[in-house]
Amino acid sequence: MINTVLHPYSMQESLYLQRVAALEKSTERRNEMRKNFDMLRKNRFNEFMLGFSIITSKLKEMYQMITLGGDAELELVDSLDPFSEGINFRSASLTHILYFFKPK
């Protein structure tokens, strides 16, 4: 009699333990994927910032040569997430030149 009463319980317990093991495996896989994603995101950010700094420096140098001393600058709209808002281009001399240029 006791055996027949405990049998459904032991079946449910076995099913529960299988599901717990599956959950733990899924959670571990999710954590690995999240870690991988965060690493890729960090690498993308670092590589972008390195390229951005090189391009900004070269732009400044080239713009000064072209305009004989003008100043141009690239700046991030959002420095924490440069991919969300983009980049602004600022140029003091370009604005000054456009003020004097009056097309017909």
Side-chain angles (χ1 to χ4, degrees):
M1 171 107 173
I2 292 178
N3 224 4
T4 56
V5 172
L6 291 179
H7 182 68
Y9 172 77
S10 66
M11 286 179 52
Q12 289 297 320
E13 181 182 36
S14 175
L15 180 62
Y16 168 75
L17 292 175
Q18 287 174 359
R19 289 183 178 168
V20 166
L23 174 65
E24 286 174 355
K25 186 176 178 181
S26 295
T27 302
E28 184 177 309
R29 178 83 172 126
R30 181 208 59 201
N31 290 343
E32 288 173 17
M33 296 298 282
R34 182 178 289 157
K35 182 180 174 185
N36 205 13
F37 173 74
D38 289 341
M39 183 187 69
L40 289 171
R41 211 170 89 210
K42 182 180 176 184
N43 286 345
R44 177 181 76 152
F45 177 81
N46 289 338
E47 287 181 29
F48 176 82
M49 292 308 291
L50 176 63
F52 180 78
S53 128
I54 292 169
I55 290 168
T56 300
S57 172
K58 290 295 178 185
L59 170 75
K60 207 178 244 300
E61 180 182 315
M62 297 292 268
Y63 199 80
Q64 285 179 350
M65 283 191 326
I66 291 170
T67 61
L68 303 173
D71 189 30
E73 201 173 316
L74 290 178
E75 62 183 14
L76 299 171
V77 174
D78 181 356
S79 62
L80 298 177
D81 186 8
F83 307 107
S84 66
E85 298 295 325
I87 298 170
N88 282 337
F89 175 75
R90 289 189 329 164
S91 168
S93 63
L94 180 61
T95 306
H96 188 70
I97 291 168
L98 290 176
Y99 176 75
F100 287 103
F101 177 70
K102 296 181 177 137
K104 294 179 182 185

XYZ file of all heavy atoms in Angstrom:
859
model
N 0.818 -1.198 0.000
C 0.000 0.000 0.000
C 0.865 1.267 0.000
O 0.583 2.200 -0.741
C -0.935 -0.046 1.218
C -1.672 1.202 1.448
S -3.361 0.938 1.003
C -4.052 2.418 1.520
N 1.875 1.299 0.846
C 2.748 2.468 0.910
C 3.460 2.663 -0.426
O 3.621 3.779 -0.892
C 3.762 2.324 2.073
C 3.028 2.398 3.396
C 4.835 3.385 2.001
C 3.895 2.221 4.596
N 3.849 1.561 -1.048
C 4.522 1.625 -2.322
C 3.643 2.265 -3.395
O 4.118 3.049 -4.203
C 4.922 0.214 -2.753
C 6.330 0.187 -3.283
O 7.014 1.180 -3.265
N 6.733 -0.972 -3.754
N 2.388 1.945 -3.419
C 1.481 2.513 -4.414
C 1.212 3.989 -4.154
O 0.955 4.753 -5.072
C 0.144 1.746 -4.458
O -0.442 1.736 -3.168
C 0.334 0.346 -4.977
N 1.278 4.427 -2.928
C 1.067 5.832 -2.598
C 2.320 6.648 -2.943
O 2.215 7.758 -3.449
C 0.713 5.986 -1.094
C 0.669 7.441 -0.678
C -0.588 5.290 -0.771
N 3.486 6.112 -2.688
C 4.733 6.831 -2.921
C 5.169 6.819 -4.392
O 5.939 7.676 -4.805
C 5.841 6.244 -2.059
C 5.700 6.477 -0.552
C 6.861 5.828 0.182
C 5.626 7.948 -0.228
N 4.672 5.864 -5.144
C 5.074 5.768 -6.552
C 4.733 7.042 -7.351
O 5.610 7.561 -8.048
C 4.447 4.526 -7.191
C 4.854 4.335 -8.609
N 6.148 4.017 -8.976
C 4.153 4.446 -9.771
C 6.215 3.940 -10.287
N 5.008 4.186 -10.797
N 3.524 7.587 -7.290
C 3.252 8.836 -8.024
C 4.142 9.992 -7.553
O 4.597 10.806 -8.353
C 1.780 9.129 -7.731
C 1.191 7.829 -7.346
C 2.296 7.059 -6.694
N 4.390 10.017 -6.227
C 5.265 11.072 -5.703
C 6.670 10.943 -6.276
O 7.272 11.931 -6.703
C 5.314 11.014 -4.172
C 6.352 11.950 -3.594
C 6.101 13.310 -3.509
C 7.606 11.471 -3.179
C 7.062 14.184 -3.018
C 8.572 12.332 -2.691
C 8.294 13.687 -2.620
O 9.250 14.535 -2.131
N 7.223 9.745 -6.293
C 8.580 9.560 -6.794
C 8.648 9.853 -8.297
O 9.655 10.362 -8.789
C 9.107 8.159 -6.483
O 8.384 7.176 -7.191
N 7.593 9.583 -9.037
C 7.561 9.934 -10.465
C 7.569 11.454 -10.640
O 8.290 11.983 -11.484
C 6.321 9.316 -11.137
C 6.440 7.821 -11.338
S 4.980 7.073 -12.103
C 4.730 8.059 -13.534
N 6.761 12.135 -9.832
C 6.724 13.602 -9.908
C 8.049 14.217 -9.470
O 8.514 15.184 -10.067
C 5.584 14.150 -9.029
C 4.205 13.882 -9.560
C 3.984 14.566 -10.896
O 4.404 15.696 -11.116
N 3.324 13.856 -11.805
N 8.657 13.620 -8.452
C 9.948 14.116 -7.996
C 11.013 13.926 -9.087
O 11.823 14.814 -9.342
C 10.385 13.400 -6.717
C 11.715 13.914 -6.192
C 12.174 13.162 -4.955
O 11.942 11.944 -4.856
O 12.779 13.823 -4.102
N 10.995 12.800 -9.742
C 11.929 12.535 -10.825
C 11.735 13.535 -11.968
O 12.706 14.071 -12.507
C 11.725 11.104 -11.331
O 12.534 10.851 -12.442
N 10.491 13.789 -12.340
C 10.185 14.762 -13.384
C 10.659 16.154 -12.971
O 11.257 16.886 -13.763
C 8.678 14.772 -13.671
C 8.195 15.731 -14.741
C 8.831 15.377 -16.089
C 6.686 15.692 -14.839
N 10.429 16.514 -11.702
C 10.860 17.806 -11.171
C 12.380 17.946 -11.264
O 12.900 18.969 -11.718
C 10.398 17.954 -9.720
C 11.034 19.121 -9.002
C 10.626 20.428 -9.258
C 12.062 18.919 -8.077
C 11.217 21.498 -8.619
C 12.653 19.989 -7.430
C 12.228 21.276 -7.709
O 12.825 22.336 -7.075
N 13.118 16.912 -10.856
C 14.584 16.962 -10.891
C 15.111 17.061 -12.328
O 16.107 17.748 -12.579
C 15.168 15.737 -10.180
C 14.929 15.701 -8.656
C 15.438 14.384 -8.067
C 15.561 16.889 -7.965
N 14.427 16.414 -13.270
C 14.820 16.528 -14.675
C 14.631 17.965 -15.153
O 15.479 18.520 -15.870
C 13.983 15.587 -15.543
C 14.330 14.132 -15.397
C 13.360 13.241 -16.186
O 12.432 13.728 -16.821
N 13.580 11.932 -16.112
N 13.533 18.554 -14.776
C 13.261 19.932 -15.203
C 14.216 20.927 -14.547
O 14.628 21.906 -15.174
C 11.810 20.293 -14.917
C 10.875 19.559 -15.845
C 9.451 19.928 -15.648
N 8.609 19.226 -16.610
C 7.309 19.166 -16.533
N 6.664 19.782 -15.549
N 6.624 18.510 -17.442
N 14.556 20.688 -13.293
C 15.536 21.548 -12.611
C 16.882 21.452 -13.322
O 17.550 22.469 -13.562
C 15.663 21.172 -11.113
C 16.900 21.805 -10.488
C 14.420 21.577 -10.354
N 17.292 20.244 -13.699
C 18.563 20.058 -14.403
C 18.524 20.777 -15.762
O 19.511 21.425 -16.157
C 18.860 18.576 -14.586
N 17.390 20.672 -16.471
C 17.257 21.343 -17.769
C 17.311 22.865 -17.585
O 17.929 23.575 -18.386
C 15.961 20.934 -18.449
N 16.673 23.377 -16.542
C 16.700 24.809 -16.256
C 18.115 25.278 -15.953
O 18.557 26.316 -16.460
C 15.768 25.144 -15.085
C 15.812 26.591 -14.606
C 15.307 27.527 -15.700
C 14.990 26.755 -13.336
N 18.835 24.516 -15.144
C 20.206 24.890 -14.809
C 21.089 24.898 -16.055
O 21.912 25.801 -16.241
C 20.776 23.932 -13.761
C 20.204 24.151 -12.374
C 20.653 23.104 -11.364
O 21.340 22.128 -11.752
O 20.323 23.270 -10.180
N 20.894 23.922 -16.940
C 21.662 23.862 -18.177
C 21.334 25.062 -19.065
O 22.225 25.699 -19.629
C 21.351 22.560 -18.912
C 22.193 22.328 -20.127
C 21.895 20.976 -20.750
C 22.722 20.763 -22.004
N 22.428 19.472 -22.638
N 20.057 25.396 -19.172
C 19.638 26.551 -19.979
C 20.173 27.854 -19.393
O 20.619 28.739 -20.127
C 18.114 26.626 -20.065
O 17.614 25.523 -20.766
N 20.131 27.982 -18.091
C 20.622 29.185 -17.419
C 22.125 29.345 -17.634
O 22.613 30.442 -17.907
C 20.302 29.135 -15.909
O 18.899 29.007 -15.744
C 20.792 30.374 -15.189
N 22.850 28.235 -17.545
C 24.291 28.274 -17.766
C 24.597 28.687 -19.212
O 25.471 29.521 -19.461
C 24.894 26.899 -17.481
C 26.395 26.845 -17.587
C 26.934 25.465 -17.230
O 26.574 24.937 -16.166
O 27.723 24.929 -18.046
N 23.857 28.153 -20.156
C 24.041 28.501 -21.573
C 23.729 29.976 -21.809
O 24.442 30.676 -22.524
C 23.133 27.610 -22.431
C 23.190 27.903 -23.891
C 24.353 27.224 -24.558
N 24.232 27.414 -26.006
C 25.180 27.909 -26.747
N 26.328 28.223 -26.221
N 25.009 28.073 -28.039
N 22.630 30.458 -21.199
C 22.272 31.868 -21.326
C 23.375 32.764 -20.784
O 23.739 33.769 -21.396
C 20.965 32.155 -20.578
C 20.533 33.613 -20.714
C 19.717 34.124 -19.574
N 20.446 34.028 -18.323
C 19.868 34.019 -17.140
N 18.558 34.061 -17.025
N 20.572 33.944 -16.032
N 23.924 32.401 -19.633
C 24.991 33.204 -19.032
C 26.239 33.226 -19.907
O 26.898 34.265 -20.025
C 25.324 32.695 -17.631
C 24.212 32.973 -16.639
O 23.332 33.788 -16.878
N 24.226 32.249 -15.525
N 26.564 32.096 -20.539
C 27.698 32.053 -21.467
C 27.442 32.966 -22.658
O 28.338 33.707 -23.073
C 27.918 30.624 -21.972
C 28.496 29.676 -20.965
C 28.537 28.236 -21.485
O 28.430 28.015 -22.714
O 28.675 27.327 -20.645
N 26.236 32.913 -23.203
C 25.895 33.751 -24.354
C 25.925 35.234 -23.984
O 26.401 36.061 -24.754
C 24.506 33.378 -24.898
C 24.423 31.970 -25.442
S 25.518 31.683 -26.823
C 24.608 32.471 -28.112
N 25.420 35.569 -22.803
C 25.431 36.963 -22.343
C 26.856 37.460 -22.174
O 27.186 38.581 -22.567
C 24.663 37.101 -21.030
C 24.599 38.544 -20.542
C 23.815 38.695 -19.275
N 22.401 38.482 -19.561
C 21.512 38.115 -18.669
N 21.870 37.913 -17.425
N 20.256 37.943 -19.001
N 27.707 36.622 -21.597
C 29.108 36.990 -21.406
C 29.781 37.220 -22.759
O 30.521 38.193 -22.949
C 29.824 35.889 -20.631
C 31.268 36.160 -20.327
C 31.876 35.005 -19.547
C 33.356 35.196 -19.354
N 33.972 34.033 -18.698
N 29.511 36.342 -23.709
C 30.058 36.465 -25.058
C 29.558 37.745 -25.732
O 30.331 38.472 -26.355
C 29.657 35.236 -25.876
C 30.601 34.950 -27.004
O 31.690 35.496 -27.065
N 30.173 34.090 -27.905
N 28.278 38.016 -25.608
C 27.687 39.228 -26.182
C 28.324 40.485 -25.590
O 28.684 41.406 -26.315
C 26.176 39.241 -25.936
C 25.508 40.514 -26.340
C 25.299 40.815 -27.675
C 25.099 41.432 -25.376
C 24.688 41.998 -28.051
C 24.491 42.615 -25.742
C 24.281 42.908 -27.089
N 28.471 40.515 -24.273
C 29.080 41.676 -23.611
C 30.525 41.885 -24.058
O 30.953 43.019 -24.270
C 29.006 41.534 -22.085
C 27.608 41.698 -21.548
O 26.748 42.267 -22.261
O 27.346 41.234 -20.411
N 31.251 40.783 -24.233
C 32.628 40.877 -24.690
C 32.679 41.446 -26.119
O 33.486 42.330 -26.413
C 33.306 39.509 -24.660
C 34.767 39.536 -25.057
S 35.488 37.891 -25.208
C 34.628 37.284 -26.650
N 31.804 40.953 -26.991
C 31.762 41.456 -28.366
C 31.379 42.931 -28.406
O 31.942 43.717 -29.175
C 30.784 40.629 -29.203
C 31.229 39.208 -29.526
C 30.091 38.423 -30.174
C 32.454 39.214 -30.414
N 30.405 43.309 -27.583
C 29.983 44.713 -27.526
C 31.118 45.615 -27.048
O 31.344 46.699 -27.593
C 28.767 44.831 -26.600
C 27.846 45.949 -27.005
C 26.559 45.909 -26.264
N 26.735 46.677 -25.058
C 26.114 46.457 -23.924
N 25.247 45.494 -23.830
N 26.326 47.206 -22.882
N 31.842 45.154 -26.051
C 32.975 45.931 -25.532
C 34.069 46.055 -26.593
O 34.635 47.141 -26.776
C 33.529 45.257 -24.275
C 34.660 46.000 -23.630
C 35.155 45.285 -22.390
C 36.349 45.999 -21.810
N 36.917 45.290 -20.667
N 34.354 44.959 -27.304
C 35.364 44.998 -28.371
C 34.941 45.946 -29.488
O 35.764 46.704 -30.011
C 35.619 43.604 -28.942
C 36.422 42.739 -28.004
O 37.035 43.212 -27.063
N 36.400 41.435 -28.260
N 33.665 45.907 -29.863
C 33.156 46.801 -30.914
C 33.341 48.255 -30.490
O 33.800 49.093 -31.261
C 31.684 46.513 -31.195
C 31.078 47.447 -32.228
C 29.623 47.155 -32.458
N 28.826 47.669 -31.360
C 27.567 48.048 -31.480
N 26.939 47.945 -32.617
N 26.906 48.514 -30.442
N 32.995 48.552 -29.246
C 33.135 49.912 -28.718
C 34.598 50.354 -28.734
O 34.922 51.452 -29.199
C 32.568 49.984 -27.294
C 32.733 51.327 -26.656
C 31.860 52.358 -26.948
C 33.761 51.569 -25.758
C 32.009 53.612 -26.361
C 33.917 52.812 -25.164
C 33.041 53.834 -25.472
N 35.487 49.499 -28.235
C 36.913 49.849 -28.176
C 37.499 50.059 -29.563
O 38.258 51.012 -29.787
C 37.700 48.777 -27.421
C 37.395 48.787 -25.938
O 36.939 49.778 -25.379
N 37.623 47.658 -25.296
N 37.167 49.185 -30.506
C 37.675 49.341 -31.869
C 37.107 50.601 -32.517
O 37.817 51.314 -33.230
C 37.329 48.109 -32.707
C 38.171 46.902 -32.332
C 37.853 45.679 -33.173
O 37.438 45.841 -34.343
O 38.016 44.571 -32.654
N 35.835 50.882 -32.281
C 35.233 52.096 -32.834
C 35.917 53.334 -32.271
O 36.247 54.262 -33.014
C 33.735 52.147 -32.522
C 33.092 53.416 -32.980
C 32.698 53.563 -34.299
C 32.895 54.473 -32.099
C 32.123 54.744 -34.736
C 32.315 55.654 -32.521
C 31.926 55.789 -33.850
N 36.132 53.368 -30.964
C 36.744 54.539 -30.343
C 38.182 54.737 -30.826
O 38.615 55.876 -31.013
C 36.695 54.431 -28.815
C 35.294 54.520 -28.249
S 34.355 55.960 -28.798
C 35.236 57.272 -27.973
N 38.909 53.656 -31.045
C 40.263 53.765 -31.578
C 40.218 54.379 -32.982
O 40.935 55.342 -33.273
C 40.938 52.391 -31.624
C 42.330 52.347 -32.242
C 43.307 53.178 -31.413
C 42.802 50.911 -32.349
N 39.353 53.853 -33.831
C 39.204 54.393 -35.182
C 38.709 55.824 -35.170
O 39.191 56.670 -35.935
N 37.763 56.120 -34.296
C 37.211 57.465 -34.185
C 38.290 58.467 -33.807
O 38.377 59.557 -34.367
C 36.078 57.482 -33.156
C 35.447 58.819 -32.971
C 34.534 59.296 -33.893
C 35.752 59.612 -31.871
C 33.941 60.539 -33.738
C 35.168 60.855 -31.703
C 34.259 61.316 -32.632
N 39.137 58.089 -32.886
C 40.204 58.987 -32.448
C 41.210 59.231 -33.579
O 41.659 60.359 -33.782
C 40.853 58.402 -31.201
O 42.202 58.307 -31.278
N 41.552 58.195 -34.327
C 42.476 58.350 -35.457
C 41.855 59.243 -36.530
O 42.493 60.174 -37.032
C 42.856 56.971 -36.038
C 43.716 56.197 -35.041
C 43.588 57.124 -37.374
C 43.915 54.737 -35.390
N 40.600 58.985 -36.872
C 39.917 59.766 -37.902
C 39.769 61.226 -37.480
O 39.997 62.140 -38.268
C 38.546 59.144 -38.231
C 38.760 57.812 -38.959
C 37.692 60.083 -39.071
C 37.517 56.974 -39.094
N 39.415 61.465 -36.225
C 39.268 62.834 -35.718
C 40.588 63.584 -35.819
O 40.634 64.736 -36.249
C 38.768 62.821 -34.257
O 37.510 62.171 -34.213
C 38.631 64.218 -33.700
N 41.662 62.928 -35.443
C 42.985 63.554 -35.502
C 43.370 63.893 -36.942
O 43.837 65.002 -37.227
C 44.007 62.603 -34.886
O 45.295 63.079 -35.076
N 43.172 62.941 -37.846
C 43.507 63.176 -39.256
C 42.609 64.238 -39.878
O 43.062 65.051 -40.682
C 43.413 61.875 -40.062
C 44.485 60.888 -39.729
C 45.847 61.437 -40.111
C 46.937 60.469 -39.741
N 48.266 61.004 -39.979
N 41.329 64.247 -39.516
C 40.400 65.260 -40.026
C 40.871 66.649 -39.614
O 40.917 67.564 -40.431
C 38.988 65.025 -39.501
C 37.996 66.153 -39.789
C 37.588 66.107 -41.253
C 36.806 66.064 -38.884
N 41.227 66.786 -38.354
C 41.708 68.071 -37.845
C 42.935 68.535 -38.636
O 43.014 69.675 -39.072
C 42.055 67.908 -36.363
C 41.946 69.136 -35.536
C 42.273 68.786 -34.099
C 41.221 68.923 -33.106
N 40.578 70.113 -32.831
N 43.857 67.608 -38.818
C 45.100 67.913 -39.544
C 44.806 68.310 -40.997
O 45.309 69.324 -41.487
C 45.983 66.664 -39.504
C 47.305 66.782 -40.200
C 48.052 65.453 -40.131
O 48.101 64.833 -39.046
O 48.577 65.041 -41.188
N 43.999 67.536 -41.690
C 43.682 67.810 -43.092
C 42.884 69.112 -43.234
O 43.130 69.896 -44.142
C 42.877 66.659 -43.701
C 43.612 65.356 -43.739
S 44.960 65.413 -44.883
C 44.155 64.804 -46.314
N 41.956 69.337 -42.342
C 41.116 70.534 -42.418
C 41.944 71.792 -42.208
O 41.727 72.800 -42.857
C 39.976 70.439 -41.411
C 38.840 71.364 -41.716
C 37.892 71.035 -42.675
C 38.714 72.582 -41.059
C 36.847 71.887 -42.976
C 37.676 73.440 -41.351
C 36.742 73.090 -42.311
O 35.711 73.934 -42.610
N 42.912 71.707 -41.301
C 43.793 72.854 -41.072
C 44.640 73.154 -42.301
O 44.862 74.311 -42.637
C 44.685 72.612 -39.855
C 43.943 72.762 -38.559
C 44.817 72.502 -37.341
O 45.951 72.036 -37.454
N 44.271 72.780 -36.174
N 45.073 72.103 -42.998
C 45.855 72.324 -44.228
C 44.975 72.918 -45.327
O 45.385 73.837 -46.020
C 46.458 70.995 -44.718
C 47.655 70.562 -43.925
S 48.591 69.175 -44.627
C 47.398 68.142 -45.399
N 43.780 72.414 -45.483
C 42.879 72.871 -46.548
C 42.436 74.314 -46.328
O 42.389 75.105 -47.256
C 41.647 71.952 -46.643
C 42.044 70.578 -47.153
C 40.573 72.545 -47.532
C 40.948 69.542 -47.056
N 42.107 74.645 -45.096
C 41.549 75.973 -44.811
C 42.598 76.950 -44.289
O 42.249 78.044 -43.851
C 40.413 75.868 -43.780
O 40.936 75.331 -42.566
C 39.273 75.034 -44.307
N 43.846 76.539 -44.297
C 44.940 77.374 -43.800
C 44.706 77.824 -42.359
O 44.735 79.009 -42.030
C 45.166 78.583 -44.714
C 45.465 78.240 -46.171
C 45.509 79.507 -47.008
C 46.760 77.461 -46.277
N 44.454 76.861 -41.503
C 44.347 77.155 -40.080
C 42.976 76.988 -39.476
O 42.788 77.254 -38.296
N 42.001 76.537 -40.242
C 40.664 76.328 -39.692
C 40.641 75.170 -38.708
O 41.592 74.411 -38.581
N 39.563 75.053 -38.004
C 39.443 73.998 -37.005
C 38.179 73.196 -37.258
O 37.093 73.763 -37.381
C 39.410 74.600 -35.598
C 39.505 73.538 -34.528
O 40.139 72.492 -34.779
O 38.944 73.747 -33.441
N 38.331 71.892 -37.345
C 37.184 71.002 -37.520
C 37.274 69.909 -36.469
O 38.364 69.534 -36.028
C 37.192 70.396 -38.906
N 36.138 69.404 -36.094
C 36.115 68.414 -35.026
C 34.947 67.471 -35.212
O 33.850 67.885 -35.590
C 35.961 69.166 -33.704
C 36.405 68.405 -32.515
C 36.367 69.293 -31.275
O 36.804 70.454 -31.349
O 35.879 68.796 -30.253
N 35.190 66.197 -34.958
C 34.115 65.213 -34.869
C 33.861 64.991 -33.388
O 34.801 64.880 -32.604
C 34.533 63.884 -35.505
C 34.692 63.849 -37.007
C 35.153 62.466 -37.441
C 33.405 64.202 -37.702
N 32.600 64.932 -33.012
C 32.289 64.657 -31.613
C 31.124 63.702 -31.525
O 30.215 63.721 -32.355
C 32.011 65.942 -30.840
C 30.825 66.721 -31.320
C 30.637 68.029 -30.577
O 31.548 68.468 -29.876
O 29.556 68.598 -30.720
N 31.183 62.861 -30.522
C 30.115 61.893 -30.309
C 28.924 62.590 -29.662
O 29.101 63.388 -28.738
C 30.597 60.771 -29.396
C 31.771 59.954 -29.911
C 32.278 59.022 -28.828
C 31.369 59.171 -31.141
N 27.743 62.294 -30.132
C 26.539 62.848 -29.516
C 26.369 62.232 -28.129
O 26.080 62.925 -27.162
C 25.299 62.597 -30.397
C 24.033 63.048 -29.702
C 25.452 63.294 -31.744
N 26.571 60.926 -28.034
C 26.476 60.226 -26.750
C 27.762 59.429 -26.561
O 27.958 58.397 -27.197
C 25.261 59.286 -26.746
C 25.077 58.538 -25.437
O 25.923 58.673 -24.533
O 24.072 57.808 -25.322
N 28.649 59.902 -25.705
C 29.953 59.259 -25.551
C 29.870 57.880 -24.893
O 30.775 57.072 -25.055
C 30.901 60.151 -24.760
O 30.395 60.372 -23.469
N 28.797 57.602 -24.166
C 28.651 56.286 -23.548
C 28.157 55.241 -24.537
O 28.463 54.064 -24.408
C 27.702 56.358 -22.347
C 28.171 57.262 -21.207
C 27.116 57.311 -20.116
C 29.502 56.782 -20.656
N 27.375 55.669 -25.520
C 26.876 54.758 -26.549
C 26.927 55.456 -27.902
O 25.927 56.006 -28.363
C 25.451 54.301 -26.233
C 24.960 53.243 -27.195
O 25.751 52.743 -28.017
O 23.767 52.905 -27.137
N 28.096 55.453 -28.544
C 28.252 56.194 -29.797
C 27.405 55.645 -30.940
O 27.192 56.316 -31.935
C 29.746 56.056 -30.111
C 30.194 54.856 -29.380
C 29.320 54.763 -28.163
N 26.896 54.437 -30.806
C 26.123 53.820 -31.877
C 24.657 54.241 -31.858
O 23.949 54.047 -32.831
C 26.227 52.295 -31.791
C 27.651 51.818 -31.756
C 28.212 51.334 -30.587
C 28.442 51.882 -32.890
C 29.524 50.911 -30.556
C 29.758 51.462 -32.867
C 30.300 50.975 -31.700
N 24.204 54.821 -30.774
C 22.779 55.162 -30.678
C 22.441 56.506 -31.307
O 21.426 56.648 -31.971
C 22.330 55.158 -29.214
O 22.975 56.206 -28.513
N 23.287 57.516 -31.117
C 22.960 58.867 -31.567
C 23.826 59.381 -32.707
O 23.471 60.338 -33.361
C 23.045 59.843 -30.384
C 22.076 59.540 -29.263
C 20.631 59.688 -29.668
O 20.310 60.578 -30.480
O 19.809 58.893 -29.182
N 24.999 58.818 -32.913
C 25.835 59.222 -34.031
C 26.918 60.225 -33.674
O 27.316 60.371 -32.530
N 27.351 60.940 -34.717
C 28.495 61.848 -34.626
C 28.104 63.219 -35.167
O 27.366 63.316 -36.139
C 29.669 61.294 -35.469
C 30.111 59.942 -34.928
C 30.829 62.260 -35.521
C 31.078 59.213 -35.826
N 28.625 64.269 -34.548
C 28.450 65.638 -35.044
C 29.768 66.126 -35.629
O 30.835 65.815 -35.122
C 28.053 66.590 -33.915
C 26.604 66.481 -33.551
O 25.779 66.046 -34.340
N 26.293 66.878 -32.327
N 29.652 66.917 -36.691
C 30.824 67.546 -37.296
C 30.738 69.030 -37.003
O 29.742 69.666 -37.291
C 30.818 67.315 -38.817
C 31.916 68.029 -39.529
C 33.219 67.574 -39.464
C 31.645 69.167 -40.276
C 34.241 68.236 -40.131
C 32.659 69.837 -40.952
C 33.957 69.365 -40.868
N 31.787 69.557 -36.379
C 31.820 70.990 -36.074
C 32.997 71.624 -36.778
O 34.082 71.092 -36.794
C 31.968 71.213 -34.574
C 30.754 70.869 -33.780
C 30.891 71.318 -32.367
N 32.283 71.289 -31.924
C 32.732 71.899 -30.869
N 31.925 72.588 -30.129
N 33.993 71.832 -30.519
N 32.739 72.795 -37.319
C 33.814 73.532 -37.973
C 33.568 75.018 -37.818
O 32.606 75.554 -38.357
C 33.882 73.167 -39.448
O 34.708 74.070 -40.114
N 34.452 75.662 -37.121
C 34.328 77.110 -36.936
C 34.602 77.842 -38.245
O 33.874 78.756 -38.614
C 35.285 77.583 -35.856
N 35.608 77.417 -38.965
C 35.948 78.140 -40.189
C 34.951 77.871 -41.305
O 34.703 78.738 -42.130
C 37.362 77.798 -40.641
O 37.449 76.440 -40.954
N 34.371 76.671 -41.350
C 33.379 76.380 -42.383
C 32.176 77.296 -42.215
O 31.679 77.868 -43.184
C 32.943 74.909 -42.320
C 31.911 74.475 -43.350
C 32.461 74.649 -44.760
C 31.500 73.037 -43.113
N 31.736 77.474 -41.012
C 30.618 78.386 -40.757
C 30.995 79.807 -41.166
O 30.211 80.517 -41.780
C 30.244 78.365 -39.259
O 30.015 77.019 -38.881
C 29.023 79.197 -38.977
N 32.207 80.201 -40.842
C 32.699 81.532 -41.191
C 32.766 81.711 -42.711
O 32.346 82.740 -43.244
C 34.078 81.747 -40.557
C 34.602 83.133 -40.697
N 34.055 84.200 -40.030
C 35.628 83.621 -41.446
C 34.718 85.295 -40.364
N 35.681 84.964 -41.212
N 33.272 80.701 -43.413
C 33.377 80.756 -44.872
C 31.991 80.815 -45.504
O 31.751 81.594 -46.427
C 34.171 79.545 -45.407
C 35.634 79.667 -45.009
C 34.040 79.421 -46.919
C 36.439 78.405 -45.229
N 31.064 80.020 -45.018
C 29.713 80.006 -45.583
C 29.003 81.339 -45.368
O 28.160 81.736 -46.162
C 28.893 78.861 -44.977
C 29.313 77.464 -45.401
C 28.486 76.420 -44.654
C 29.183 77.266 -46.895
N 29.349 82.050 -44.333
C 28.753 83.356 -44.069
C 29.128 84.345 -45.178
O 28.328 85.157 -45.620
C 29.211 83.875 -42.710
C 28.715 85.264 -42.400
C 27.401 85.473 -42.037
C 29.584 86.353 -42.486
C 26.938 86.759 -41.763
C 29.140 87.646 -42.211
C 27.808 87.829 -41.854
O 27.352 89.102 -41.584
N 30.400 84.262 -45.634
C 30.867 85.175 -46.674
C 30.494 84.741 -48.086
O 30.465 85.524 -48.999
C 32.383 85.365 -46.575
C 32.765 86.194 -45.407
C 33.283 85.623 -44.251
C 32.585 87.575 -45.430
C 33.625 86.394 -43.161
C 32.920 88.360 -44.331
C 33.445 87.764 -43.200
N 30.240 83.462 -48.251
C 29.906 82.946 -49.575
C 28.416 83.163 -49.827
O 27.586 82.634 -49.115
C 30.253 81.463 -49.680
C 29.872 80.853 -50.990
C 30.541 81.190 -52.158
C 28.829 79.949 -51.057
C 30.194 80.615 -53.357
C 28.461 79.392 -52.273
C 29.144 79.714 -53.412
N 28.107 83.932 -50.855
C 26.705 84.199 -51.174
C 26.474 83.813 -52.624
O 26.759 84.583 -53.533
C 26.393 85.663 -50.943
C 26.529 86.034 -49.494
C 26.211 87.469 -49.247
C 26.317 87.695 -47.767
N 26.941 88.831 -47.348
N 25.978 82.595 -52.867
C 25.761 82.170 -54.247
C 24.654 82.989 -54.918
O 23.750 83.503 -54.266
C 25.338 80.706 -54.113
C 24.891 80.554 -52.714
C 25.563 81.603 -51.908
N 24.758 83.131 -56.237
C 23.759 83.908 -57.002
C 22.641 83.038 -57.470
O 22.659 81.931 -57.641
C 24.424 84.584 -58.187
C 25.407 85.622 -57.728
C 26.064 86.269 -58.918
C 27.095 87.271 -58.427
N 27.696 88.019 -59.440
